[in-house]
Each structure stands twice: as C-alpha cells, then as structure tokens.
Amino acid sequence: MKIYKLSVAALFLSGSAFYAQEVKNDTVNKEKKLKALLFRETVIRKQKLLYWENKKKAIIQKQAVSAEEISRKGISNVEQGLTKVTGITTVEGRGLFVRGLEERYNYLLINGLGSPSNNPFQKIIALKQFPTDVVGKLNIYKTFNSNLYGDFAGATFDIETLTIDKAFSKIEFSVGVNTLSTFRDNFKVSEGAKGIEAYLGLNSRNRRLPDEVRDYRPNTYNFSKEQSLNSFKDSWNVDNIKSLPNTSIGFTTVQKMKAGETGNLGLLISLNQGSKYSYKEGDNNQFRDNGQIIELSNLLRKKSYVYELESSALVGLGYKNKGTNVNLNAIYLQNSANIIEDFTGFKNFSVEDNRFFRTNQQDISRFLDLQLTASQKVGNRHLFRAGGSYVMNNYSQPDRKIFELTLPNDFSNATFSYGGNNLYQTILRCGW
C-alpha cells in the first residue's frame, strides 16, 4: 500500500512567515523525515537578545545602533544611521547636532581610537563618506567615562567596523532619483569632471595651480599669453550635460580559515563607489547693520550644481583563538566635489550694477587610517585591550576660479580671479 503525503510547515518569527512544502512518496513502514530549515530570523532574534543583554549589564551609559538595524532601515551611510538616535539631527552643510550642540562639540572614534578630521572647517570627518557596509555597530556616548577623550560636550561617536564572524560575499547596487536634479538638462560641470579618471577622483592633478605659482605666495605674477595657454591645464569653460540618477556600487567579502587547532584567521575586503548630482536654486542675500538701520547689501539669485564622488575601501585581517583577538584594519575614504555656482544680481550696495558671477571649484579630501588592536580575556570578568593607529588626512582645494561680468548688455569687461581660496592641508597622527 502506498500513501502520498503532503506536509506543510510554517514558522512565524519577528513578524515574518516562511513556508516549506514537501511531497513524498513513501510506504507505511517508513516515516516521513523533514529536513531542518535554518531561518535567518532565528539568528537575528538571538542577536537582538544578546544586544539587550549586553546593554543591561553595561557599566557605562551609551546608545548603540546595530548592524542589523542599519540593514533593516536601509541606511546608506553613518550620518544617516546616527540621526536615528533620539536627540541627534543633521543640518545641511553643518554636520550633526546633538541636543542642539553643533558638530564642533562632538568627537569621533573608530574602533575606540581617536580620528582627526580631514577637513579644516570641521572637527570630525564628514560621516556621510562612511558607508554602512563597513560598519558593525555605532556607539554613541553622551556622558563621560574613562575610555573617552574629554574633548566633547555633545557626544562621542564610536564606529566599530565589521567583525569577521562568518564567511559571506555580497555585491550591492543602488539607484536614487532626485526630482529636482535627476535628468536635468544643462547641468553644469567643469571641463575634465567627466570620464573614468574623474569618477575615481584623480582629475585633481590637472586642476592644480601652475608650476609658476604653486609652491609660494607671490604678490603679483603676470602670465604671458603663451604661459596662460600652456600652464593652465583646464579652462574657464563648463560643460552642459544631462544629469544622471545617483548611483552606488559596493562589494564586500569575508573569508575564514583555520589557524591551528583552535584558532581562526579571517580576511575582510569592502570596496564602495558612488556618484551624486545635486542642483539647488534660491536667493542668497546679505544684510548689514550700518548703525541705526539694517540695509540689504547683496541681492543675488543663486544656482548651484554639485557633482560629488565618494570612494571607500576597508581591508581587515583578524586572528581569534579562545580569549585572544587581534585585528589589523586599513580604512581609506575619498570625497571629490566639483562645484559650479552661478549668481546674478548686485553686491556691496551697488544697486544699479547688476552682474553675473560664477565660481568654479573642486574640493577633494582623502583619509587613511591604519589600526592594530588586540584584546586578551582573563577569566570571566577581566579583559585587557590595547591598540594603536596611524592616520593620514589630506584636504585640498586645487582649483577655484571666480569671474564676473557686467549685465545685462555689456559683456566687454570682465574681472577674473584664479585660485582665490586654494587650500592644502596634510595631517599625520599616531595614537594609541
């Protein structure tokens, strides 16, 4: 006698349902055997329980955003992740605000080690450059403890990079659309801001000041016609293009292998690249207090075109053997912004002198952090930790061209300023 049997199994965890179906041809003497199914939700639930258990036993006050929560909420960078914490907001162009205190009151740690800023205008690096693919957990300290630097009044952010727990590989690709910027005709970019070299942020070499004035600060230097044509590798012109959707691509792989009888050796590689088009339009006015009255000094209409490229790479090596844990991490971040800003109107109270002003500049920053950390567990209650880092930051504004033309009818005269705000900054830091 043969029996055809249909088996349906259902499991509900964390609000998700999974079904398994089996159709089996068997006899009465043989019992049906269901293979065990491993559910990812079971692992996530254990991670949540462990997270809350550790938080309950913690002897210091902190808030944390786990990697699971980052993935579940679709957060793309560290800055977005931190805004999910109560009391933390972000302001365009001014960084993170913690309980009303702006960016200069905060401090940044990476794996518990201090990290200087790669931007002379900010105290901490722009956290939007940090993709969440390389983040294991975000810790937020709003109160002081012995493990933190005392140089903060808002909060200290500690970025813990991915831990090498299990082997996996993934490729991610995302596309974003901005109704104001995407597929916009006549989106302005500087010449040389296109192509694979610009996409990798390497075009800054062609936008540096000429050799005649690069390494010193002359009072005046007059370029001849031939020098002007040969020394400046880029021109005053801009290209009008059709802006594309914002895109990002990332590749992450973690591999593990045995090292001895009880040890494990792990390798982590994460590479990410993204591009973003941004267009803004509006008034850019300025008022001055002349004693008894406040007067309008600048009445300008502004159009801003920003083509931004972000790159990041993380390479990690880890060794774990019982209570011993040693990690070596190398983190590299790069951000390149090609900016075109057009203004029309008057400035400095010259109401009758309407003009056209254009700023064409590039800002590029690079951040390299090499870290070595180690920990040794002694017994059930003691843990010894040590670590050191070498950080190299570089920020430059290799190209900033400013010129203005008289409007509306007379284009015969123009004022030009080249490299008005060239900035070069290199920071080397060793810490432990």
Side-chain angles (χ1 to χ4, degrees):
M1 178 179 179
K2 294 188 179 250
I3 298 175
Y4 294 87
K5 190 172 182 181
L6 175 66
S7 299
V8 179
L11 179 63
F12 297 88
L13 288 175
S14 301
S16 300
F18 292 84
Y19 298 92
Q21 178 177 309
E22 181 183 28
V23 178
K24 190 170 184 179
N25 186 356
D26 204 351
T27 64
V28 176
N29 296 327
K30 292 183 179 180
E31 296 181 356
K32 177 187 67 64
K33 296 181 180 179
L34 290 176
K35 294 182 179 180
L37 298 178
L38 299 179
F39 292 90
R40 179 173 177 269
E41 275 63 21
T42 304
V43 178
I44 292 175
R45 186 176 182 181
K46 290 181 180 179
Q47 290 177 345
K48 289 182 178 179
L49 292 175
L50 180 62
Y51 166 74
W52 288 109
E53 187 68 20
N54 292 336
K55 188 172 182 179
K56 182 175 67 175
K57 294 180 180 180
I59 60 175
I60 57 177
Q61 187 175 2
K62 70 176 181 179
Q63 294 174 277
V65 182
S66 64
E68 182 275 331
E69 184 176 357
I70 291 173
S71 176
R72 179 166 52 85
K73 292 183 177 180
I75 299 169
S76 62
N77 59 65
V78 169
E79 186 175 87
Q80 290 181 0
L82 291 173
T83 58
K84 305 301 179 182
V85 177
T86 302
I88 300 180
T89 57
T90 182
V91 177
E92 181 70 25
R94 298 185 62 184
L96 292 168
F97 279 62
V98 181
R99 296 172 297 182
L101 297 175
E102 61 181 335
E103 176 268 341
R104 63 191 177 98
Y105 293 101
N106 303 324
Y107 197 81
L108 176 67
L109 302 174
I110 300 177
N111 293 321
L113 300 172
S115 174
S117 174
N118 59 350
N119 190 325
F121 307 111
Q122 294 179 323
K123 185 179 177 182
I124 62 177
I125 65 176
L127 294 179
K128 65 178 182 179
Q129 298 181 26
F130 232 111
T132 52
D133 281 344
V134 303
V135 175
K137 187 169 65 172
L138 299 176
N139 298 314
I140 302 96
Y141 300 89
K142 297 182 182 178
T143 58
F144 296 95
N145 66 68
S146 59
N147 295 326
L148 303 179
Y149 293 87
D151 188 20
F152 76 95
T156 291
F157 309 122
D158 185 10
I159 302 174
E160 293 185 17
T161 55
L162 280 175
T163 57
I164 306 175
D165 292 329
K166 59 180 180 179
F168 70 91
S169 295
K170 67 175 181 179
I171 297 177
E172 295 182 318
F173 180 78
S174 66
V175 178
V177 176
N178 185 319
T179 56
L180 189 63
S181 305
T182 307
F183 301 123
R184 185 178 187 87
D185 292 324
N186 296 325
F187 189 95
K188 293 176 171 49
V189 297
S190 178
E191 286 187 336
K194 300 181 295 182
I196 186 63
E197 188 178 51
Y199 189 72
L200 296 176
L202 303 177
N203 62 324
S204 61
R205 294 176 298 182
N206 296 328
R207 299 185 64 173
R208 295 180 297 176
L209 285 174
D211 294 333
E212 291 87 347
V213 294
R214 182 182 302 169
D215 298 325
Y216 62 98
R217 300 177 60 184
N219 293 324
T220 59
Y221 189 92
N222 296 320
F223 285 86
S224 65
K225 180 179 178 181
E226 290 73 18
Q227 284 180 316
S228 298
L229 292 175
N230 297 326
S231 299
F232 293 92
K233 296 183 180 180
D234 64 331
S235 70
W236 302 95
N237 300 327
V238 298
D239 291 334
N240 293 308
I241 65 173
K242 191 179 188 70
S243 57
L244 299 175
N246 303 330
T247 60
S248 66
I249 186 170
F251 168 74
T252 303
T253 182
V254 173
Q255 303 298 327
K256 293 185 67 177
M257 62 193 75
K258 283 288 186 178
E261 295 183 359
T262 58
N264 289 300
L265 186 64
L267 172 65
L268 164 65
I269 299 176
S270 181
L271 305 173
N272 299 274
Q273 177 74 26
S275 63
K276 178 182 178 182
Y277 295 85
S278 176
Y279 171 80
K280 295 180 181 179
E281 181 179 354
D283 294 329
N284 188 12
N285 303 329
Q286 185 180 67
F287 295 85
R288 292 184 186 177
D289 186 358
N290 288 334
Q292 297 180 349
I293 61 173
I294 297 178
E295 295 181 297
L296 179 65
S297 61
N298 293 359
L299 180 61
L300 299 170
R301 186 68 179 176
K302 176 182 177 181
K303 294 182 180 180
S304 174
Y305 309 84
V306 181
Y307 176 46
E308 196 168 8
L309 299 162
E310 297 178 351
S311 309
S312 67
L314 169 64
V315 178
L317 290 173
Y319 173 76
K320 184 180 293 185
N321 187 359
K322 295 182 178 180
T324 304
N325 196 351
V326 181
N327 292 287
L328 175 63
N329 292 318
I331 305 167
Y332 178 77
L333 305 175
Q334 178 177 281
N335 178 271
S336 174
N338 294 276
I339 305 169
I340 305 293
E341 293 181 335
D342 290 345
F343 303 85
T344 54
F346 68 85
K347 63 179 182 178
N348 298 327
F349 303 101
S350 301
V351 179
E352 302 298 330
D353 187 11
N354 285 319
R355 296 196 173 197
F356 170 78
F357 310 88
R358 169 169 287 171
T359 300
N360 181 349
Q361 73 181 59
Q362 181 187 39
D363 297 340
I364 188 164
S365 62
R366 296 182 176 95
F367 172 87
L368 176 64
D369 189 356
L370 303 177
Q371 296 184 334
L372 177 63
T373 60
S375 64
Q376 177 65 51
K377 190 174 182 181
V378 181
N380 295 325
R381 303 191 51 158
H382 300 285
L383 180 69
F384 292 93
R385 300 178 60 188
S389 66
Y390 175 84
V391 181
M392 184 172 65
N393 286 333
N394 177 270
Y395 176 88
S396 64
Q397 195 177 80
D399 184 24
R400 179 179 169 90
K401 298 185 288 286
I402 305 170
F403 65 95
E404 58 184 85
L405 298 170
T406 302
L407 288 179
N409 297 319
D410 184 8
F411 292 91
S412 59
N413 297 313
T415 300
F416 295 90
S417 174
Y418 190 99
N421 278 341
N422 275 277
L423 298 173
Y424 291 89
Q425 175 191 23
T426 300
I427 300 176
L428 298 178
R429 177 188 182 277
C430 295
W432 55 87

